[in-house]
Amino acid sequence: PATLHEQDGATAAVCTRSALTAVVARLAADGLEARVGHEIEFTLFGDACNGAWSAYGLGAVLRREDFLKDLLRNAERAQLHIEQVHAEYGPEQFEISIAPATPVQAADLVILARILISRTARAHGLAASFSPIPTVGGAGNGAHQHFSLNSGGRPVFSGGGQEYGMTDKGSSALGGILSHLTEFTAVFASSPLSGVRLRPDNWSGAYVCWGLENREAALRFCAESPSNPHGANAEVKIVDPSANPYLATAAILGLSHIGIGNASPLPPEIVVNPSTLTEAERDERGVTRVPTDLREIVQKFNSSSVAKEIFGESIIEAMVSVKGVERETFSQMDEATTVERLRYTWS
Ligand code: GLU
Ligand code: MG
């Protein structure tokens, strides 16, 4: 993790870490303070999967006991606080949850964690993939970001009079994110494989809506409860590991800030899996799919005045041109080849 400078020492206009630092400062000027906790999903490759996979099971963890113990030891030495390790849904897919931290520090820890996971895997003759789609037809890897906000030292997602104890500010923060989510899909999930992951019934939050503990909602609310020891928080589920974590957090916090400033309304909660609703019912509730077409995603980002407000021109220009080349390169390639080519791109 590093801040990018020009040769004369000035901060580079395309520095994503500085863009996040600036967003954090704008929040602080209005008395808002954020904490962010990252989930890191990855898939191991390298030796044959020995026997049936027990998703979320202890058997799966024990089979990779040596690797996981080493990873935990390395993390401790690197002062990376891992709060949870578990076997995920897909074969050889694991997840670690990193303890919440201040936004820039939390994004720095994502970089550190990926280096540690990749190096530890290599030491065990394995390779870790952080691809949104590591195998054709297999489970996707997400990079969900949880965040909480304090306003004047008090949490905005609990202790208030809105749904599940949200305060007016908490509710508006989520309203701000939801109302601009499609403009920022370029930042959250726009690799050539991101759209494959963002299909319904894949727990990737493929629908633009929010709901308590709703895994099919792009925005999942986690209320204050004994099972949330750090307090209430919101999880942006559509983020995948192809996203730059600094930019993704800058978008989440920047939109929350704008939502609070505009007192953005929060649409009604969706409590079910939206794919079980009819199209008419989804229309009626204003639930749409997160865009998956790269041309549409980039066009929405490029013409977003809110994106300009949060990131400035240089970052948008750089992203739009990189995404254009990616689309050109991979649009001719079939899915299986793309999956192979990009398997270790984010490792
Ligand atoms: N692997 C899923 C994804 O692509 C998430 C599974 C979960 O809910 O943790 O986001
Ligand atoms: Mg998970």
Side-chain angles (χ1 to χ4, degrees):
T3 300
L4 303 180
H5 296 272
E6 301 294 349
Q7 294 213 3
D8 65 5
T11 305
V14 291
C15 175
T16 61
R17 193 168 186 261
S18 301
L20 176 56
T21 305
V23 168
V24 170
R26 292 204 287 273
L27 262 73
D30 284 334
L32 295 166
E33 207 186 348
R35 285 174 79 74
V36 180
H38 293 264
E39 294 180 13
I40 299 193
E41 293 183 339
F42 59 96
T43 308
L44 292 176
F45 288 85
D47 58 6
C49 182
N50 178 18
W53 181 251
S54 47
Y56 304 105
L58 186 59
V61 170
L62 291 178
R63 213 167 52 201
R64 291 295 184 200
E65 179 176 356
D66 293 346
F67 162 76
L68 291 170
K69 274 183 178 164
D70 258 5
L71 178 61
L72 291 176
R73 261 192 295 268
N74 291 341
E76 201 177 318
R77 278 174 59 202
Q79 292 174 22
L80 174 77
H81 185 187
I82 294 177
E83 291 204 321
Q84 180 178 302
V85 181
H86 70 264
E88 252 295 340
Y89 186 77
E92 298 297 325
Q93 188 184 30
F94 290 92
E95 173 177 331
I96 63 168
S97 310
I98 305 174
T102 55
V104 176
Q105 193 191 6
D108 288 347
L109 292 175
V110 171
I111 310 297
L112 175 63
R114 288 207 206 161
I115 292 171
L116 289 176
I117 292 167
S118 297
R119 292 186 69 190
T120 309
R122 275 200 292 277
H124 286 263
L126 302 165
S129 168
F130 298 92
S131 172
I133 291 292
T135 52
V136 176
N141 284 316
H144 314 163
Q145 296 200 6
H146 291 253
F147 77 102
S148 61
L149 282 170
N150 275 0
S151 172
R154 304 179 80 96
V156 304
F157 291 140
S158 56
Q162 300 287 346
E163 278 158 293
Y164 305 114
M166 279 186 234
T167 64
D168 290 354
K169 283 184 178 161
S171 166
S172 300
L174 300 191
I177 293 177
L178 272 189
S179 58
H180 296 287
L181 193 100
T182 60
E183 291 157 60
F184 285 77
T185 305
V187 175
F188 298 137
S190 67
S191 74
L193 292 171
S194 296
V196 183
R197 168 180 167 260
L198 279 176
R199 57 186 189 264
D201 309 320
N202 210 29
W203 298 345
S204 54
Y207 291 94
V208 184
C209 60
W210 77 279
L212 182 76
E213 301 289 352
N214 190 340
R215 288 189 136 83
E216 292 296 324
L219 199 49
R220 173 186 180 208
F221 189 68
C222 306
E224 185 174 33
S225 80
S227 59
N228 285 322
H230 299 290
N233 62 84
E235 176 186 23
V236 182
K237 235 176 139 47
I238 60 168
V239 187
D240 74 39
S242 71
N244 176 308
Y246 299 96
L247 289 185
T249 303
I252 292 165
L253 300 182
L255 290 176
S256 298
H257 190 205
I258 289 168
I260 291 172
N262 296 339
S264 291
L266 182 60
E269 180 191 13
I270 301 296
V271 293
V272 296
N273 176 351
S275 79
T276 63
L277 301 172
T278 64
E279 212 170 312
E281 287 169 329
R282 282 196 295 269
D283 284 352
E284 196 184 304
R285 297 176 201 199
V287 177
T288 55
R289 281 279 303 276
V290 176
T292 56
D293 177 74
L294 279 184
R295 192 187 293 272
E296 178 192 344
I297 288 171
V298 173
Q299 190 268 329
K300 281 195 152 82
F301 181 61
N302 199 21
S303 54
S304 164
S305 57
V306 180
K308 230 162 260 154
E309 195 180 326
I310 295 176
F311 294 129
E313 307 259 357
S314 303
I315 286 178
I316 295 176
E317 208 181 292
M319 272 195 65
V320 167
S321 58
V322 169
K323 294 289 160 193
V325 175
E326 280 180 3
R327 188 167 48 78
E328 247 169 60
T329 310
F330 290 97
S331 59
Q332 308 303 330
M333 218 175 268
D334 63 29
E335 194 182 308
T337 314
T338 308
V339 166
E340 289 285 329
R341 287 274 180 94
L342 295 183
R343 183 165 290 144
Y344 301 114
T345 297
W346 300 280
S347 298

